[in-house]
Amino acid sequence: MAEGGAPVTMSDVARLAGVSTATVSRVVNGRYGVSASTIAQVRSAIERLGYESSLVAASLRRTRTNVLGLVTHSFQSYTAEVLKGVMDALTQSGFDLIIYANSDVYGTYSEGWEQRHLTRLSGTLTDGCIVVTPWGEVRTSTPVVVIDPVRDSTVPSVTADNLTGATTAVEHLLGLGHRRIGFIAGRSSLAAAWSREEGYRKALAEAGVPVDPALIGRGDFNPESAAPLARALLERPDRPTAIFAASDGMALKVLEVAKEMGIDVPGDLSVVGFDNIPESALAEPRLTTVDQSMYRLGHEAAHMLKSLVTGEWEGPRQILLPTRLLVRGSTAPVRVATRP
Amino acid sequence: MAEGGAPVTMSDVARLAGVSTATVSRVVNGRYGVSASTIAQVRSAIERLGYESSLVAASLRRTRTNVLGLVTHSFQSYTAEVLKGVMDALTQSGFDLIIYANSDVYGTYSEGWEQRHLTRLSGTLTDGCIVVTPWGEVRTSTPVVVIDPVRDSTVPSVTADNLTGATTAVEHLLGLGHRRIGFIAGRSSLAAAWSREEGYRKALAEAGVPVDPALIGRGDFNPESAAPLARALLERPDRPTAIFAASDGMALKVLEVAKEMGIDVPGDLSVVGFDNIPESALAEPRLTTVDQSMYRLGHEAAHMLKSLVTGEWEGPRQILLPTRLLVRGSTAPVRVATRP
DNA sequence: CCGGAAAACGTAACCGATAACGATTGCAAT
DNA sequence: ATTGCAATCGTTATCGGTTACGTTTTCCGG
C-alpha cells in the first residue's frame, strides 16, 4: 500500500503517453478511432501510473453514468435484506450502486430527507434512484422507484401486498376465536400503513365483527411509539384478547409490555406483527407475523429502475408483491370466554 | 411530486436573483461578503426554484466535501451492523456517508475490488474511506480506515481482538474436557484469520495439548468452503470431539454436516464459531460463539476516520476491540472417553 | 467635498473528465 | 500528381460549481 501523494489524473496519463486527454478518454472508454499502437501506449501509461478514472468528473460531463443510487434514512436489519436484493439484481448488469445517507439526526425522520439525498445524487452522479420508505413525495429529474411509497403516490413503486397480508393476519386471529382484536397502526401517511389498517377493517367486516375505535392505537412504525399504546390497550377493563401490530418492531414492543404487565403470551394474549424482521424469530415467544420479502422488494425495485433508465420498461409502474403469514408461537386459540 | 424537467442549477438561481453564480455560491456556503438584502434575494430565488447544490460539481473543485465513503464487497447481515455503528458515529458530525458497491460478480471476492471502489470514490467525492474486510492492500490519496485488514498491514485499522477471542473459545472447550479439538481456518491472508488460528494454537499449547495438523482444515471464511472440511474431519476414525470454526458461517455449515451424518451436537460433538452473526442464535442447537461487536467496529472506524480527516487524531492507528464468549447450546462436556 | 479603505459583487480560471468539431494524415482512386 | 474519404488525433467548449482576483460601490473621517 502507499499513502500516495496527489491522485493521478487523466492529463498525467496523457503527458506520459504523449497524447491528448481526449485520446486517453477514448482509450479508457473503448471508443472507436484510436490506433492499436496508441492504445498500447496509453494502456501502458495507465498501468505505470495506476490511473483510474474519476467517477465524479466523468459524471459531470456525461449524461449516462451507469450508476444507480439508493437513499434510505437508516440502516435497520431489513435494510440489509433490501440491499442484498438490489445487488443481486444488479450483478453483471453494468450498473454500480451508490448509497447515500446523511448524518443529521440519524434514525429519526427529519422532514424532507429523501428529497435532499435525492438531489444530492441525481443531479449528475446517478442515472436513477431507489428510495426506501420515504416520508413524503419526491421529485427528481431522473427515474425513481420507491419501496413503500406514500399514499396515493403515482411514482413508480414496489410494495408488498399489505392489504391481503393484513387481512390474512386478522383472519388467522379470528380463526383462533378472537373477537376483541386490538390494532396498532403505523404512520397513516404511508401507503403501507393505510393498507394494513384497511386489511384489519376488512377482515373484521367480513367476519361480521364490528370495529371498536377504542381498540385502535395510532403509532408511527417507530417501536417506541407502540409502548404507551399497548399499555393503554392492555389496561382497559375489556382488554383485547389479541393485538395486531402494523410492524414487527411495534409488535415486539407489545410483547415487552405484556411481559412487564404479567400478561402471558400467547395464553392471555395473542400478538401478530408484520414484516418478518430477523429479530421476530428470536423473540420469546417467537412472533407470528406476516412476511414481506425485503429481498424481493429490493430485487424488483432494482430490476424496474434498471429498465426505466434504459427506457425498456414495459410492465406496470406500481408493483405489488405477495405476502405470507408465518404462524409461530405468539398466537393461540382464545381462552374460553371469561365474560359475565 | 413532479417528474420535473431539467435539474435546476446555480445559474438558474443567479439569473432569477439577478446576481452572478459566484454570489449564489457565497450565499449557499454562508461565506462573508454579501449584503443582507442580496442574501434575501438569493434565498428567495433558491426557495422558488427548489434549488439544491450538486454534490458532484462542488466536490470537483473543492478540496473538502464533508462526505466519507465506505466500500464493501457485499451486504451480509453483519454489514448492516457495521453501517449502524458508522451512522451513529457520524450523526450530527457534519459528515455524510456514501457507500459504493459495484455490480460485477457480487458476493464473490473478485480480485482488487476494494481498490476499484476506492478510487471511484476517493478522487474527489469523499474526504476519506472505510474499507470493510478487504482482500488485499489498498492505496489511496485520502485517509483510509480498514475494518479487518490483511496481515501485517500498516494502514489505520479497527479489528476485534481475534487472538484473545479465539484463545478463550478453545479454553472453553478444553474446560469442558475436550482434547481432540478440530479447527477450520479462514483465509490466511486476512489478519483476522491468522490471529484466530494463533489463538487456537496458543490455547492448546498452554494446556499442554499437542497440535495435530490433521485436525486443521483450511477454509476461506466462505461457508461453502467449510462443508467438505467438516466432512473430512468427522469421517476420521479418530474424529475430534469438538470443532472450532473461524467464522459463524463456517460453524453453521459444520452443524449442518453433523446433522447429515447423524452426529449429535452437542452430545457427540461440540461446535464453537466466531463473529456472532444473527443467524447463529437461530441455529438448532443455538451456536456457542465469540461475539465481536460489528456495531462497535463500525463506530470506532468512523470515529477514527473522522478525526484522521480533520487531522486531529491522536490515538494509535491500529485499534483492537475486545471480544466476548457467548456460551449457548452447541457445546457440552465431552462424553466419557470411548477410546480403547 | 474628497480620498481611501473596506465591503460587495462580477469575471474568469479552474477542478477532471467528455463531446463536438476541426485538423491532419495515409492510402486508394482518378 | 491530385483528389477524396476514412481513420486518427488534437483543440476547445462544457458540465455545475468554487475561488482568486479585479472592479465597483459604500461609507467613513478629515
Side-chain angles (χ1 to χ4, degrees):
Chain A
M1 75 109 226
E3 179 95 14
V8 30
T9 81
M10 184 174 267
S11 65
D12 295 328
V13 175
R15 186 168 30 245
L16 180 60
V19 298
S20 75
T21 59
T23 299
V24 177
S25 173
R26 279 188 275 255
V27 171
V28 168
N29 299 307
R31 257 181 258 288
Y32 179 78
V34 187
S35 70
S37 66
T38 307
I39 291 181
Q41 294 244 345
V42 172
R43 280 207 202 295
S44 125
I46 289 177
E47 192 76 18
R48 282 256 301 277
L49 298 175
Y51 166 80
E52 306 224 19
S53 94
S54 156
L55 173 63
V56 176
S59 75
L60 187 58
R61 189 69 174 88
R62 228 205 263 269
T63 45
R64 274 281 294 278
T65 60
N66 290 326
V67 174
L68 301 182
L70 185 147
V71 304
T72 175
H73 81 287
S74 66
F75 294 98
Q76 307 297 337
S77 39
Y78 70 78
T79 316
E81 286 301 308
V82 173
L83 290 177
K84 267 192 252 184
V86 169
M87 287 311 295
D88 280 345
L90 258 37
T91 296
Q92 306 280 20
S93 70
F95 284 102
D96 290 352
L97 183 74
I98 274 199
I99 304 164
Y100 191 85
N102 83 333
S103 60
D104 16 296
V105 283
Y106 173 71
T108 54
Y109 293 90
S110 64
E111 205 63 35
W113 60 269
E114 46 309 77
Q115 191 58 57
R116 282 200 307 279
H117 292 201
L118 217 48
T119 45
R120 294 283 274 177
L121 288 184
S122 74
T124 52
L125 230 200
T126 58
D127 294 339
C129 278
I130 296 174
V131 182
V132 182
T133 321
W135 219 224
E137 285 288 357
V138 291
R139 75 189 134 70
T140 96
S141 47
T142 53
V144 155
V145 174
V146 175
I147 292 178
D148 272 344
V150 294
R151 268 180 67 185
D152 303 322
S153 170
T154 56
V155 178
S157 62
V158 180
T159 323
D161 187 348
N162 292 291
L163 179 63
T164 306
T167 306
T168 311
V170 176
E171 280 169 353
H172 165 62
L173 291 173
L174 289 165
L176 291 172
H178 295 277
R179 288 300 173 269
R180 291 191 59 72
I181 301 175
F183 179 60
I184 297 185
R187 174 150 175 160
S188 58
S189 65
L190 292 179
W194 189 81
S195 299
R196 290 173 193 182
E197 182 165 345
E198 272 304 295
Y200 167 75
R201 293 176 185 279
K202 185 177 161 214
L204 290 185
E206 284 177 358
V209 177
V211 173
D212 182 350
L215 293 186
I216 298 182
R218 305 230 149 264
D220 64 358
F221 279 138
N222 193 320
E224 297 312 319
S225 71
L229 298 171
R231 201 176 308 276
L233 281 177
L234 295 176
E235 276 170 352
R236 297 180 64 85
D238 57 345
R239 74 173 193 225
T241 62
I243 292 182
F244 172 42
S247 80
D248 275 5
M250 297 197 296
L252 293 177
K253 265 295 170 206
V254 174
L255 290 185
E256 226 172 80
V257 168
K259 183 163 291 181
E260 277 174 35
M261 296 176 66
I263 298 175
D264 179 52
V265 176
D268 299 323
L269 178 74
S270 285
V271 178
V272 180
F274 204 117
D275 285 346
N276 189 28
I277 63 176
E279 292 87 333
S280 65
L282 296 173
E284 190 56 43
R286 296 170 69 222
L287 184 68
T288 293
T289 188
V290 180
D291 176 57
Q292 63 164 326
S293 169
M294 295 292 182
Y295 177 90
R296 277 203 63 194
L297 287 177
H299 198 276
E300 293 297 323
H303 179 68
M304 185 168 168
L305 180 59
K306 213 171 48 178
S307 307
L308 283 173
V309 166
T310 56
E312 55 196 24
W313 181 252
E314 300 289 341
R317 291 162 61 94
Q318 325 267 335
I319 294 184
L320 221 53
L321 257 33
T323 57
R324 192 167 47 110
L325 179 68
L326 297 179
V327 178
R328 296 199 280 228
S330 66
T331 49
V334 67
R335 288 236 175 120
V336 282
T338 55
R339 280 183 265 174
Chain B
M1 77 108 227
E3 179 96 13
V8 32
T9 80
M10 184 174 268
S11 65
D12 296 328
V13 174
R15 186 168 28 246
L16 180 60
V19 297
S20 74
T21 60
T23 300
V24 176
S25 173
R26 279 188 276 255
V27 172
V28 168
N29 298 304
R31 258 180 256 289
Y32 181 77
V34 187
S35 72
S37 67
T38 305
I39 291 182
Q41 294 243 346
V42 172
R43 280 208 203 293
S44 127
I46 289 177
E47 192 74 18
R48 283 255 303 277
L49 297 175
Y51 167 80
E52 307 224 20
S53 91
S54 156
L55 174 63
V56 176
S59 76
L60 190 55
R61 186 64 165 88
R62 233 206 259 270
T63 44
R64 275 281 294 276
T65 60
N66 290 326
V67 174
L68 300 182
L70 185 147
V71 305
T72 174
H73 82 285
S74 68
F75 294 98
Q76 307 297 338
S77 42
Y78 70 77
T79 317
E81 287 299 310
V82 173
L83 290 177
K84 268 192 251 184
V86 169
M87 286 311 294
D88 281 346
L90 258 37
T91 296
Q92 306 281 18
S93 70
F95 284 102
D96 290 351
L97 183 75
I98 275 197
I99 304 163
Y100 191 86
N102 81 336
S103 60
D104 14 295
V105 283
Y106 173 72
T108 52
Y109 293 90
S110 64
E111 205 65 35
W113 61 270
E114 43 313 76
Q115 191 58 55
R116 282 199 308 277
H117 292 202
L118 215 48
T119 45
R120 293 288 273 177
L121 288 184
S122 74
T124 53
L125 232 200
T126 58
D127 294 337
C129 278
I130 296 173
V131 181
V132 182
T133 321
W135 220 225
E137 286 289 356
V138 291
R139 75 189 134 72
T140 103
S141 49
T142 52
V144 155
V145 174
V146 175
I147 291 177
D148 271 345
V150 295
R151 269 179 67 182
D152 304 323
S153 170
T154 55
V155 179
S157 63
V158 181
T159 322
D161 186 349
N162 293 292
L163 179 62
T164 306
T167 307
T168 311
V170 176
E171 281 168 354
H172 164 64
L173 291 172
L174 289 166
L176 291 171
H178 295 278
R179 288 299 174 268
R180 291 192 59 71
I181 302 175
F183 179 61
I184 298 185
R187 176 151 175 159
S188 58
S189 65
L190 293 179
W194 189 81
S195 299
R196 290 172 193 182
E197 182 164 349
E198 272 305 295
Y200 167 76
R201 292 176 186 278
K202 185 176 160 214
L204 290 185
E206 284 177 358
V209 177
V211 173
D212 181 352
L215 294 186
I216 298 182
R218 306 230 148 265
D220 63 357
F221 279 139
N222 194 320
E224 298 312 318
S225 71
L229 298 172
R231 200 175 308 277
L233 282 177
L234 295 175
E235 276 170 351
R236 298 179 64 86
D238 56 347
R239 75 171 190 225
T241 63
I243 293 183
F244 172 42
S247 79
D248 275 5
M250 297 196 297
L252 292 176
K253 264 294 171 208
V254 174
L255 290 185
E256 226 173 80
V257 169
K259 182 163 291 180
E260 278 174 34
M261 296 176 67
I263 299 176
D264 180 52
V265 176
D268 298 324
L269 178 74
S270 285
V271 177
V272 180
F274 204 116
D275 286 344
N276 188 29
I277 62 176
E279 291 88 334
S280 64
L282 294 173
E284 189 56 44
R286 297 170 68 223
L287 184 67
T288 294
T289 189
V290 180
D291 177 58
Q292 63 165 325
S293 168
M294 294 294 181
Y295 177 91
R296 278 203 63 194
L297 287 178
H299 198 276
E300 293 297 324
H303 179 68
M304 186 168 168
L305 180 58
K306 212 170 48 178
S307 307
L308 283 173
V309 166
T310 55
E312 56 196 23
W313 181 252
E314 299 290 340
R317 292 164 59 94
Q318 324 267 339
I319 294 184
L320 223 53
L321 256 32
T323 58
R324 192 167 48 110
L325 178 69
L326 296 179
V327 178
R328 295 198 282 228
S330 66
T331 49
V334 68
R335 288 236 176 122
V336 280
T338 55
R339 281 182 267 174

